[in-house]
Amino acid sequence: MRIFHVVVPEVRTVELGRKIVLITGASSGIGAAAAREFARAGATVALVARSKDRLDELAAEIGPNAHAFPADLADPDAVLGMAARVRAELGVPDVIVNNAGAGRWLFADESTPHDFRDMAAVPYLAAGYVTTAFAADMVRRGSGRIVVVNSPVSRATWPGAFGYAAARWGLRGIVAALRVDLRGTGVGVTEIVPGKVSSDYFANNPGSEERIPSISAIIPTVTPEQVARALVASVRRDRSRTALPFMMRVTMAQAWIAPSLTHRLMSLTGAKRP
Ligand SMILES: NC(=O)c1ccc[n+]([C@@H]2O[C@H](COP(=O)([O-])OP(=O)(O)OC[C@H]3O[C@@H](n4cnc5c(N)ncnc54)[C@H](OP(=O)(O)O)[C@@H]3O)[C@@H](O)[C@H]2O)c1
């Protein structure tokens, strides 16, 4: 006799075989790991960053489904040129992963206007340039997904990283604006927020690691490969937001429920003005 009838909800998964996935910041860290993971899932990957040699090397490692499109994403004309090449050689991407990012961590009063411009350029403006370069094509086609890789600072702002933090709040704004703009078009939006990642980010941006608030030690560091797997799973499942590891989700929930307390903790345990 059957007493319980368990209903397992059907989970929709997006097939990635033959999809075109454009990944910015693919020459290193999270972007390179994501390119390998998407390619493993059968996607054709368009690799974008400035370092042509590193992109060519990665494309050769991945095989015929990977194509390098070197470009400086701080320059809107270079982004348009890259987009035209991608369209001509591969077609309109099905998935765009806005991941390229850099930025020195400086207090507002340590920064110059040029520092601020550089920190806004990549990732914030670059994500806007790449998204707008393809958005009309994606909406016309009626399908696709735009992914934004964001930082914990977009939820729990810490001191000593003025331009960096402002640019990540800007990315959060891009996500929010895209969600309403693209509603009903068939083009989805995903934000992924990893905690600290064991990539070369801190070697590439000297002076940053020392300014991570000490309270952040409660969030275990994740690898670029873990982020890449979470990213591919989010795209497959049409997820609108993913944070990892688990303690990062707890931190985001805390920042949402108690923003003042969160920012107070960041101030107390964060960098002090030199
Ligand atoms: N590492 C962390 O702890 C962490 C945590 C949360 C979020 N994130 C975010 O994740 C993203 C990727 O970081 P990562 O850890 O993988 O760092 P990474 O290893 O330093 O990679 C950064 C990537 O961005 C590219 N890039 C930088 N400036 C560019 C430009 N002007 N034009 C084109 N590409 C540019 C770099 O390539 P080229 O130098 O070849 O141009 C590189 O491929 C960043 O947005 C970062 O803020 C990182």
Side-chain angles (χ1 to χ4, degrees):
M1 188 177 68
R2 199 162 65 175
I3 301 173
F4 297 111
H5 178 68
V6 180
V7 178
V8 180
E10 201 183 312
V11 181
R12 194 177 102 82
T13 55
V14 174
E15 183 48 57
L16 287 170
R18 290 203 290 276
K19 293 272 193 261
I20 300 164
V21 180
L22 182 144
I23 302 150
T24 73
S27 64
S28 166
I30 297 168
R36 292 188 184 98
E37 195 66 25
F38 275 113
R40 215 169 282 133
T44 294
V45 288
L47 314 172
V48 184
R50 289 166 301 183
S51 315
K52 183 180 180 309
D53 292 354
R54 295 178 75 171
L55 294 183
D56 286 341
E57 218 172 278
L58 181 61
E61 176 203 312
I62 293 175
N65 281 356
H67 306 261
F69 296 94
D72 182 350
L73 301 177
D75 174 358
D77 292 323
V79 171
L80 285 174
M82 175 276 290
R85 279 182 283 133
V86 171
R87 231 181 259 113
E89 290 178 36
L90 302 179
V92 176
D94 297 285
V95 179
I96 293 174
V97 181
N98 286 300
N99 162 75
R104 297 174 62 210
W105 293 16
L106 301 168
F107 280 89
D109 46 297
E110 291 176 304
S111 309
T112 65
H114 291 92
D115 289 328
F116 187 76
R117 178 202 57 194
D118 293 347
M119 283 179 267
V122 184
Y124 171 60
L125 293 176
Y129 298 156
V130 174
T131 298
T132 50
F134 290 108
D137 292 328
M138 293 172 97
V139 167
R140 207 173 298 121
R141 187 183 54 199
S143 68
R145 180 153 293 271
I146 295 169
V147 181
V148 170
V149 179
N150 211 341
S151 154
V153 82
S154 66
R155 299 323 200 267
T157 315
W158 54 78
F162 171 63
Y164 170 87
R168 271 64 185 178
W169 276 79
L171 280 183
R172 194 175 161 182
I174 286 180
V175 170
L178 282 176
R179 286 201 205 288
V180 289
D181 268 21
L182 297 178
R183 189 179 297 276
T185 64
V187 183
V189 183
T190 297
E191 183 183 28
I192 177 150
V193 187
K196 189 180 180 192
V197 183
S198 58
S199 66
D200 287 340
Y201 184 89
F202 295 102
N204 295 338
N205 298 278
S208 303
E209 193 163 18
E210 305 83 298
R211 289 193 167 183
I212 297 176
S214 55
I215 196 168
S216 304
I218 61 167
I219 305 175
T221 299
V222 290
T223 63
E225 290 71 27
Q226 283 174 297
V227 181
R229 282 195 291 275
L231 210 157
V232 172
S234 302
V235 170
R236 275 194 157 135
R237 296 279 165 86
D238 281 343
R239 272 192 205 125
S240 61
R241 184 171 297 112
T242 299
L244 73 155
F246 173 74
M247 279 308 290
M248 188 60 230
R249 271 180 260 159
V250 173
T251 302
M252 281 172 70
Q254 183 208 300
W256 186 65
I257 294 162
S260 303
L261 170 70
T262 304
H263 289 130
R264 183 97 188 104
L265 287 172
M266 291 293 145
S267 287
L268 287 172
T269 67
K272 304 291 174 264
R273 184 170 279 96

